Amino acid sequence: MSKREDINDDRDLLGPSAQVPSEIPTGVDRRKFIVRSAVISAATVMNGCTRSETEQKAPPPAPESAPAAAAAGAPAVPLAADLNVVMKQKGPVLTTVDEFYKVGPGPSSSHTIGPMRITYDFYQRAAKLPADQLAKATKLQVNLFGSLSATGKGHGTERAALAGLVGKEPATVDPLFLDGLRDKPDQVFPVKLGSKSIDVSLKDIIYDAPKGDFKHPNTMTCKLLAGNDVLLEQEYYSVGGGFIEWKGYTPPKKNPPKYPFATMKELRAHADDNKTTIAKIMLANEMSITGRSEAEVNAFIDKIINAMVATVKSGLSMSEDDVLPGPIKLHSKAASVYKRAMDDKFQADRGIGVLSAFALAASEENGRGHLVITAPTGGSAGVMPALVYALSEVRKVDRQKIRDGMLAAAAIGYLCKHHATLSAAEGGCQAEIGVASSMAAALTATAYDAPSLVVENAAESALEHHLGMTCDPVAGYVQVPCIERCAFGAVKAWTAYAIASNEIASRHRISFDETVLALAQTAKEMNSKYKETSEAGLALSVVLC
Ligand code: SF4
């Protein structure tokens, strides 16, 4: 069978409904039973499949024994049901590329870009208060909670939050401004609010309770005070990938997409029914949701591609002796790996080495707090740029094919955000590097004109082999394991493409939608210690001296 002949997916021919038992078996924990049944039902709806014979014969979940309960460890912080990031999972995907691919300072989209956007938003709200209220203002104060408090110091969250408060935006902030805050932490900045000028400094950004009953693990509050009186207060959430929400948030109204989809199955059906590609469906949706022209969408994507290429170039140009900021004293290795890999006598080794070097380069830029692109996050900011750089600068793939790849990759990110999460504080590293690798696999397959099923299979494979990956950054710095993890994510993306484009596509057993469900479920059940708290794993076993 040729590669092109085998794309008629027979998975949809499976039966119409799953047989989910409605009775809770005796001795089985009620919560486990309900969760398991819900996952099976969701899989049924998304895939149109009955449970497999194996699944139907599978024993019910084991009764909650004492050791199992102990192994479950600390419960994860549950997400409030009224957060938009939770509610919007019910309708069609409405995310757009300009919301998704964001340029901003590293090292973390949720801990730097999100908080900077939040304090910038609060500053703008405060500036709109009536003049008589502003005249009474004496102080601006930001409190960081949950994961923002637990690992914020290593992420530079306080510097990002202060930068937003003094009117800096993530896409345009000069990283040297943030470096300056690190090197001279006592600096004081006047913030103009009406006729008032209020001095702010890093002392106004408070690391508050790391644990508590928060709506989201990345919660923060911003206050404008008049002495002890609160003139304005807003609770915010940095929900992953630089996306933000606040208490009472309602998403902006958007036009309906031309091709509504909430699953990969639906997205691929649009592509196949219209004899076109996933990328073309995504482009049509971008245009219908935002009202932008094709040229405008392409111009934005070009900006992101160029920024990705620039971050790899900038990372490769750093000295081999450069040491990244922070207590780990980690040496930059991108330039060394690149130079030495280029000398490899075996072509395949050279390919893996230089692809890794590209990912290390962009990821080290993230570690330096320089400008990176969320794809989908700051911690994973080396993965997509590595593939974009390899395809455009090394393989010289046509620009339009790379644009198409960026749109297919965005579809992967949107679906993971829609049904699972992009936030390590919610789902561990599988939600960052796993999603990034899956996106990069879809990018590569699309750039090489793979049929839609092969694009799906490549993305599925890359995501599948990151399931369960925890987030345990050493000392709270997005360096170890993050930087090398980007290199592995990039190489796995290439491997996923290599397998998907060479296997018989219709025999690929696992659908992307099934793997996204597994991502969501694994995220829910992952011990909270492994969700960007630096309380376990490598963060515990590595001793810095
Ligand atoms: S371990 Fe993974 S998820 Fe956690 S900070 Fe590092 S890259 Fe991000």
Side-chain angles (χ1 to χ4, degrees), residues 155 377 379-380 424 428-429 432-433 470-473 478 481-482 485 532:
H155 290 78
T377 63
S380 60
C429 199
E432 291 203 13
I433 301 279
T470 57
C471 169
D472 50 3
V478 190
C482 320
R485 201 163 270 183
E532 211 167 5

Side-chain angles (χ1 to χ4, degrees), residues 420-495:
T421 177
L422 304 178
S423 162
E426 284 175 47
C429 199
Q430 55 172 357
E432 291 203 13
I433 301 279
V435 174
S437 183
S438 183
M439 289 170 59
L443 157 83
T444 309
T446 302
Y448 282 122
D449 289 328
S452 63
L453 181 57
V454 173
V455 174
E456 171 181 351
N457 290 346
E460 186 286 317
S461 192
L463 184 60
E464 180 185 328
H465 299 293
H466 286 88
L467 288 178
M469 190 180 269
T470 57
C471 169
D472 50 3
V474 172
Y477 278 71
V478 190
Q479 297 178 7
V480 178
C482 320
I483 290 171
E484 284 188 5
R485 201 163 270 183
C486 280
F488 280 85
V491 173
K492 273 197 205 177
W494 192 271
T495 308

Side-chain angles (χ1 to χ4, degrees), residues 23-35:
E23 300 286 320
I24 300 174
T26 320
V28 171
D29 173 67
R30 179 183 167 78
R31 187 178 160 277
K32 269 191 179 173
F33 178 82
I34 292 170
V35 167

Side-chain angles (χ1 to χ4, degrees), residues 518-542:
L519 171 68
Q521 194 56 28
T522 310
K524 272 196 195 114
E525 296 185 350
M526 187 181 282
N527 190 309
S528 61
K529 286 193 294 187
Y530 293 98
K531 294 181 179 180
E532 211 167 5
T533 61
S534 291
E535 288 178 353
L538 275 178
L540 210 62
S541 64
V542 173

Side-chain angles (χ1 to χ4, degrees), residues 271-527:
D272 296 346
D273 292 350
N274 290 283
K275 300 199 178 352
T276 187
T277 61
I278 287 174
K280 291 283 176 281
I281 296 293
M282 295 302 296
L283 175 64
N285 280 1
E286 287 290 330
M287 292 165 66
S288 58
I289 293 171
T290 63
R292 296 200 180 102
S293 66
E294 181 174 342
E296 287 171 320
V297 175
N298 281 343
F300 177 80
I301 295 174
D302 280 348
K303 195 175 99 182
I304 296 299
I305 292 172
N306 294 341
M308 286 185 172
V309 169
T311 163
V312 173
K313 274 191 182 148
S314 165
L316 288 176
S317 72
M318 298 301 286
S319 156
E320 291 183 69
D321 295 324
D322 182 57
V323 176
L324 299 180
I328 306 175
K329 305 200 181 352
L330 191 69
H331 273 92
S332 167
K333 63 175 87 172
S336 314
V337 171
Y338 179 73
K339 276 187 205 150
R340 294 177 185 200
M342 288 299 281
D343 289 340
D344 247 311
K345 67 176 177 180
F346 296 111
Q347 196 180 351
D349 293 0
R350 199 157 63 233
I352 292 170
V354 296
L355 184 62
S356 301
F358 300 156
L360 294 170
S363 187
E364 286 174 355
E365 281 294 274
N366 185 61
R368 292 182 188 101
H370 290 175
L371 291 185
V372 293
I373 303 93
T374 60
T377 63
S380 60
V383 180
M384 279 282 289
L387 272 301
V388 164
Y389 193 89
L391 292 170
S392 66
E393 305 302 299
V394 181
R395 293 268 173 112
K396 307 291 181 198
V397 172
D398 178 66
R399 172 56 69 112
Q400 186 52 47
K401 290 190 191 300
I402 295 178
R403 286 186 195 129
D404 288 349
M406 293 291 287
L407 284 165
I412 299 303
Y414 297 174
L415 285 167
C416 291
K417 177 173 183 286
H418 206 63
H419 294 287
T421 177
L422 304 178
S423 162
E426 284 175 47
C429 199
Q430 55 172 357
E432 291 203 13
I433 301 279
V435 174
S437 183
S438 183
M439 289 170 59
L443 157 83
T444 309
T446 302
Y448 282 122
D449 289 328
S452 63
L453 181 57
V454 173
V455 174
E456 171 181 351
N457 290 346
E460 186 286 317
S461 192
L463 184 60
E464 180 185 328
H465 299 293
H466 286 88
L467 288 178
M469 190 180 269
T470 57
C471 169
D472 50 3
V474 172
Y477 278 71
V478 190
Q479 297 178 7
V480 178
C482 320
I483 290 171
E484 284 188 5
R485 201 163 270 183
C486 280
F488 280 85
V491 173
K492 273 197 205 177
W494 192 271
T495 308
Y497 163 66
I499 293 174
S501 59
N502 287 302
E503 69 181 341
I504 295 170
S506 61
R507 292 183 187 169
H508 192 94
R509 179 61 188 82
I510 315 294
S511 74
F512 179 76
D513 293 325
E514 286 169 319
T515 303
V516 173
L517 277 178
L519 171 68
Q521 194 56 28
T522 310
K524 272 196 195 114
E525 296 185 350
M526 187 181 282
N527 190 309

